[in-house]
Amino acid sequence: MEILWVLMAVVLFGFVLLPVLRRRRGMIEQVAPGHPDAADPANYGFVRQEELDVRMPGPDQDLLDVLDLVQRTQDHRAASQLLAGTEKEGERRWQRVQAFAGAASLELKQRPGGVSESPGGQWLRVWRAEAPKDAGGAAVHAEFLVQQAWRTSAPGTDEFRIIMEEARSACAEAALLAPGDPVPYIVELSVARGLAYSQAEFDQLWAKILDRAPAHMGAHLAALHYWCEKWHGTREQAMSFAEAAAARAPRGSLLSAMPLFGVFEHLPEVNLVSGFYQSEVVTKAMHGALHAVHSARADDPMLAHVRHLLVFFLVRGERWSEAMQQLIHIDGHVGALPWTLSPDPAAEFAVYRALAVAGYEANGGSPATLSH
């Protein structure tokens, strides 16, 4: 065990002294190839770093197939059909709207267009023009504008406000096209954060979501950001919101994991004290998340989100075996917190995975003892 912590100390020491210190919560610097902690993921059936999928937290083959078709043909119709057949109140519709909007936004960034080239994401513009009453297209367009605001401009600038105001109008239009759909209002939660809605305005928006999907995990995670102290609330308000959600969570709901997300949102930017991750507050939040994972349906679209965050905390808390149990369920996809906060989510995930393997083996574990 001593040699493991020596190796981890070297990694953390390098992190502190890096001239380009990345100001992010509890991050570990990447383990270089050949480092003793850089365990071969193939020994555990894990996917190699270069093959990790950064687009989503877990598998959704229907979405991947449609995304590939839309981007290859620039024809929006398959996306429209997929969303039309996706349950309105469920988590998966929200995730798919985000994925389509993100794909269009990334295309536009890669191909902004010019004299001889059409801009990327043209299929979304055609979708809105050809089917202005399509609720799915309207929701994707609203989310696209929100992502564009956050990616291309800084909060507080005129450019940011103009795009966000357009997004707010797009949310209202999408809501009119699908009265029972919570997704347009969930998109607006990000607008509320960006445009600094008053707490009374935010409460009115939140009430509309609760009326339509009271146990929607994605909506709760989006709302949590508003209440964080870095935005428009306080640490106490954010934790109160998360704990209230957990307390009223229906049986089998992942809302029991909300306090762990609240803790994550308020982690110190640099924390080298391992005991913090074994503290009562963190341990209680982890236990709530573990209970939620064990109680949830295996096909819950939000399950992977909770498992990814658990890996972060379990590795930090030196709970190697439990971290490995989460990894066998999520390995292969890294499009979730905390990895998406990194410029290279796959590399960030690979570091924690390597540390989990090293800790597991240092305590007598091996591929033969890891149950699947």
Side-chain angles (χ1 to χ4, degrees), residues 35-74:
H35 190 286
D37 276 352
D40 186 351
N43 292 341
Y44 290 83
F46 292 150
V47 175
R48 291 194 172 277
Q49 178 180 324
E50 60 271 19
E51 298 173 353
L52 291 168
D53 191 327
V54 302
R55 294 172 294 180
M56 56 190 66
D60 184 345
Q61 194 58 49
D62 289 340
L63 173 61
L64 290 178
D65 291 344
V66 170
L67 268 175
D68 177 67
L69 178 63
V70 168
Q71 294 186 301
R72 181 162 37 86
T73 65
Q74 291 294 295

Side-chain angles (χ1 to χ4, degrees), residues 32 63 69 77 87 123 144 152 169 177 184 197 216 227 247 250 262 280 285 301-302 326 350 371-372:
L63 173 61
L69 178 63
R77 286 176 294 180
E87 181 188 9
W123 54 269
F144 169 80
T152 63
S169 298
L177 292 172
Y197 281 22
H216 199 290
W227 293 112
E280 181 179 355
M302 295 301 295
Q326 300 306 317
S371 60
H372 286 71

